[in-house]
Amino acid sequence: MITVQYKARYLPSRNIPLPHFLTSYHAHPIKLTNEKEGWIESRYGIEITSQKKVLRTSVTWAEGMEFIGEDSQGRNIPMEATKVHVGTGKNPVPMEVFPTSLGGCIAVEIRWLLIQRGLGFEALKVSIAGTQRDIAPKTIERVDALIEIKGGPDPAVVKEVVDLAMKEKCPIVVMFSAFSKRGWRVVQK
């Protein structure tokens, strides 16, 4: 994972809030200029330095309609076109990989939230069902998650953890929420 540094200036007298990603700051005088309007102003401000992670992946053509995705750690994810587009059917298609990563994100967040509470389970399975539009671009217009937990804690705790994962913690759920409806159901055995 690559880290990028951003620098910005904060002027307390203009009531601009500090960004949530603030990692460090240095207070010093700042000279503001606006050549277009012809004014120069000096104020005491704060220079902010922030670091953000940049996710990097690559996809390389292998043969026919097969491609190899590579994550930032060098791990391979084979993908190919659908059979309609001359795929062989032996690898997942990109449109299946996307909801699969959604299920993985939900499962990881639920597991992590339970570990933080000192709780566990015997088994966890997250099944994703996505409905695509009929016309191009065939984006996913609705996604539903079925979360099956065996031998877990009290159902009220499970509901709280799942709701937290689905509403706040899983960034892929948040991204899906921007362009599709979502729902989820928990089955506890």
Side-chain angles (χ1 to χ4, degrees), residues 51-141:
Q51 295 184 345
K52 289 194 172 209
K53 294 178 183 175
V54 177
L55 302 173
R56 297 211 185 266
T57 64
S58 64
V59 177
T60 306
W61 173 70
E63 64 180 349
M65 290 300 284
E66 295 179 32
F67 300 84
I68 304 296
E70 185 177 317
D71 70 6
S72 60
Q73 303 297 312
R75 295 170 292 223
N76 291 334
I77 305 163
M79 294 177 280
E80 66 178 72
T82 62
K83 286 187 175 184
V84 171
H85 294 104
V86 199
T88 65
K90 69 178 184 180
N91 294 310
V93 298
M95 200 60 175
E96 292 171 345
V97 174
F98 193 38
T100 302
S101 46
L102 169 66
C105 183
I106 293 167
V108 166
E109 290 299 341
I110 290 170
R111 175 76 172 130
W112 180 242
L113 290 167
L114 287 172
I115 286 172
Q116 289 178 322
R117 290 168 169 78
L119 303 170
F121 49 77
E122 291 175 35
L124 171 66
K125 181 179 180 181
V126 178
S127 301
I128 303 294
T131 307
Q132 283 185 275
R133 290 176 31 159
D134 293 330
I135 57 172
K138 293 187 177 184
T139 58
I140 297 173
E141 58 186 7

Side-chain angles (χ1 to χ4, degrees), residues 32-45:
L32 300 173
T33 61
N34 185 330
E35 307 266 333
K36 193 174 184 182
E37 294 180 20
W39 55 266
I40 296 175
E41 180 181 354
S42 291
R43 293 182 183 224
Y44 191 73

